[in-house]
Every structure is written in structure tokens, then in C-alpha cells.
Amino acid sequence: AGFSKYLSENSYISLPNGVSGYFSSNQSFYILKDFFKTFIPVAFSFDIPKGNKETVATGELVFESKGKRENATVYIALTYEGATWRITQFTVN
């Protein structure tokens, strides 16, 4: 669960499988882990604009689900907390 250390303690997650809401870093980790078991990433690229204390990165996700390859836009809000960037929002449209 090393990835969970990059999730804020109150992250907002919105996914196309109907999951939406605020979750703890541990809950967020397992929600995303389950999501990516069904929506298997094939390719992902994103740009992170420069920000002092917070920024929103946008990217394109190519995934396979039920044998079909599809595209989605990903929005990741980042906030600088302590000495590291943490994910405060993870949205897949």
C-alpha cells in the first residue's frame, strides 16, 4: 500500500463505475486498486502544470474493460502537504 502515502487523508474520488465521494487515504487506495482491476490500464500520460501549493494535472487513460479498449480523461488535484505532493482529488471521466 505504498501508493496510499500519496493520497490525502480526505481525497475526493469520482469514477465511471459509480464510486463518488470523500475517502481516507487507505479507502482511496483500495477503491482505486479495485477500479484498475476492472478498468485495466493500457497507457496513461498526463501533464502537471507548475503550482506552488496546489495544482491540477490532466491526462489521458487508455484502458481495457470487458474486452473493449476505451479512452478516458483523468483529473488529479495535487496539494503540497508537509514535504510531499498528495492527491486530493482523482476523477476519471
Side-chain angles (χ1 to χ4, degrees), residues 6-92:
Y6 298 107
L7 295 162
S8 179
E9 263 311 309
N10 193 25
S11 298
Y12 179 78
I13 295 181
S14 179
L15 303 173
N17 63 358
V19 172
S20 181
Y22 288 90
F23 303 94
S24 72
S25 59
N26 202 37
Q27 288 172 312
S28 297
F29 171 79
Y30 287 105
I31 288 167
L32 292 172
K33 183 178 174 182
D34 287 346
F35 173 76
F36 287 120
K37 281 183 186 174
T38 304
F39 298 85
I40 302 162
V42 174
F44 180 67
S45 63
F46 67 101
D47 295 313
I48 301 175
K50 294 199 183 292
N52 290 335
K53 292 289 183 188
E54 54 189 348
T55 190
V56 177
T58 58
E60 291 299 316
L61 171 66
V62 179
F63 63 90
E64 283 187 8
S65 179
K66 300 176 184 171
K68 292 173 59 179
R69 190 171 280 204
E70 299 184 49
N71 293 357
T73 302
V74 178
Y75 301 93
I76 304 170
L78 302 160
T79 300
Y80 199 72
E81 295 177 4
T84 191
W85 286 94
R86 297 203 194 278
I87 298 168
T88 56
Q89 179 176 340
F90 192 95
T91 301
V92 178

